[in-house]
Amino acid sequence: MISEDVRRYIQGRLRTVEEEHGVRVLFAVESGSRAWGFPSPNSDYDVRFIYAHPREWYLSLDLEERRDVIECEIVDDMDLSGWDIRKALKLFWQSNPSFVEWLHSPIVYRDEVGFADRARALLPDIYDVNKGVHHYWSMADKNYRGYLKAKLVPLKKYFYVLRSLLAIRWLERYRSPAPVEFERLRPLVADDETVDKEITRLLAKKQRSEEKEFVPVMAELNDYIEKELSRLSRYSDKAAPVSRDLSSLNTLFRDCLDSADA
């Protein structure tokens, strides 16, 4: 849960972004462990946003050279960064996993002109499940081999790996973007009592541990992870590629510029 005081503070930071950069923030959400549902007591707030300049800003010969991200200094454990609407929708067209997860964050700070609903409505025609599987497999594999093969391992890295593997199971079963919240993914492994029990133990530790806590390696979870990574290394999907027509994204882009000019 995000307290009302924190929400007001974040809204103030977003207004500062608008004033300093001459933009309008269209959409802002919480990303990372707070959105996933397993923050530590000292977890940062990871605020991600989509913004638009006035229309004239885009009618420039040097548009491709102009900066299309805003990154704010981290203050009071608040990490704010955002993408320009044109960059965001181009990445959406490529099934960018970060953008798709932002659309499904359960913690929304701002949503102008129904941006999220309009973007989510386009997912069936744009989102490529195979790209999602590849992204989550790469994330799980990198974090497992980089962090979870020692005697003492970073607690939060188990969640990075497990959440990625369960997201893949969701993609395989439902052929649609996976939920952000870890608890919505957990039922996909409920039939494995050992793994489910170990996840419960991990969650209890995470809720009372600092962000960079280390724990002894958990052999049962490592066995499960290695089996899943091995299975997924042979993943093959013959489904037809998504057409990903740009016309609907162009319409959303223009409507967002109209909103920014209003």
Side-chain angles (χ1 to χ4, degrees):
M1 298 292 293
I2 307 296
S3 73
E4 285 304 312
D5 287 344
V6 170
R7 284 184 177 274
R8 282 193 291 269
Y9 180 84
I10 290 172
Q11 293 295 346
R13 292 286 302 274
L14 293 174
R15 287 192 292 271
T16 298
V17 166
E18 292 178 317
E19 293 166 2
E20 292 183 350
H21 296 272
V23 300
R24 181 172 179 180
V25 173
L26 302 172
F27 182 60
V29 299
E30 186 70 26
S31 179
S33 61
R34 291 185 183 275
W36 299 338
F38 46 79
S40 297
N42 65 331
S43 289
D44 289 348
Y45 292 85
D46 298 307
V47 182
R48 301 294 177 260
F49 57 90
I50 308 297
Y51 63 90
H53 288 274
R55 183 183 292 268
E56 287 295 317
W57 190 87
Y58 301 92
L59 304 178
S60 306
L61 291 177
D62 63 344
L63 177 60
E64 298 299 334
E65 284 72 50
R66 294 189 171 194
R67 186 166 173 79
D68 55 8
V69 299
I70 294 175
E71 296 171 313
C72 303
E73 181 181 358
I74 298 177
V75 179
D76 297 327
D77 296 326
M78 297 284 176
D79 180 1
L80 282 77
S81 65
W83 291 344
D84 174 72
I85 183 65
R86 183 170 178 264
K87 173 187 181 73
L89 293 181
K90 287 175 69 176
L91 289 172
F92 184 23
W93 185 54
Q94 300 166 4
S95 297
N96 178 271
S98 294
F99 181 83
V100 173
E101 288 197 357
W102 297 354
L103 288 180
H104 292 88
S105 174
I107 303 173
V108 179
Y109 299 115
R110 189 180 298 188
D111 186 7
E112 301 284 344
V113 298
F115 176 83
D117 283 343
R118 293 188 63 182
R120 283 193 292 263
L122 302 178
L123 280 166
D125 298 323
I126 293 176
Y127 185 68
D128 188 329
V129 169
N130 290 329
K131 286 189 176 182
V133 171
H134 177 73
H135 162 74
Y136 286 118
W137 179 84
S138 296
M139 180 179 290
D141 187 67
K142 178 181 178 180
N143 279 282
Y144 176 66
R145 302 194 187 287
Y147 297 98
L148 298 182
K149 295 178 72 68
K151 291 183 178 180
L152 284 175
V153 300
L155 172 58
K156 70 178 183 180
K157 291 298 182 179
Y158 266 119
F159 287 104
Y160 286 14
V161 173
L162 291 169
R163 181 178 172 274
S164 295
L165 294 178
L166 294 184
I168 293 173
R169 285 200 172 193
W170 181 283
L171 293 173
E172 291 176 313
R173 181 173 298 183
Y174 299 110
R175 314 301 299 174
S176 64
V180 170
E181 305 97 310
F182 187 72
E183 282 300 324
R184 291 184 61 192
L185 296 170
R186 273 192 72 180
L188 296 171
V189 75
D191 58 338
D192 191 323
E193 293 184 4
T194 299
V195 172
D196 194 53
K197 180 179 179 181
E198 292 298 277
I199 289 175
T200 298
R201 288 179 55 205
L202 270 182
L203 284 169
K205 289 182 181 180
K206 187 71 164 65
Q207 291 171 353
R208 60 177 184 267
S209 300
E210 296 298 304
E211 184 69 12
K212 296 182 179 181
E213 190 86 7
F214 278 70
V215 296
V217 68
M218 303 177 75
E220 293 88 350
L221 286 182
N222 281 37
D223 287 345
Y224 168 77
I225 291 168
E226 290 196 0
K227 288 176 183 176
E228 281 294 277
L229 289 176
S230 176
R231 177 181 73 83
L232 292 166
S233 69
R234 301 184 295 274
Y235 176 86
S236 177
D237 193 309
K238 304 300 181 182
V242 179
S243 62
R244 296 184 294 123
D245 181 18
L246 266 177
S247 60
S248 56
L249 289 178
N250 282 331
T251 298
L252 179 55
F253 172 63
R254 296 184 189 108
D255 289 349
C256 287
L257 296 192
D258 290 341
S259 173
D261 283 338

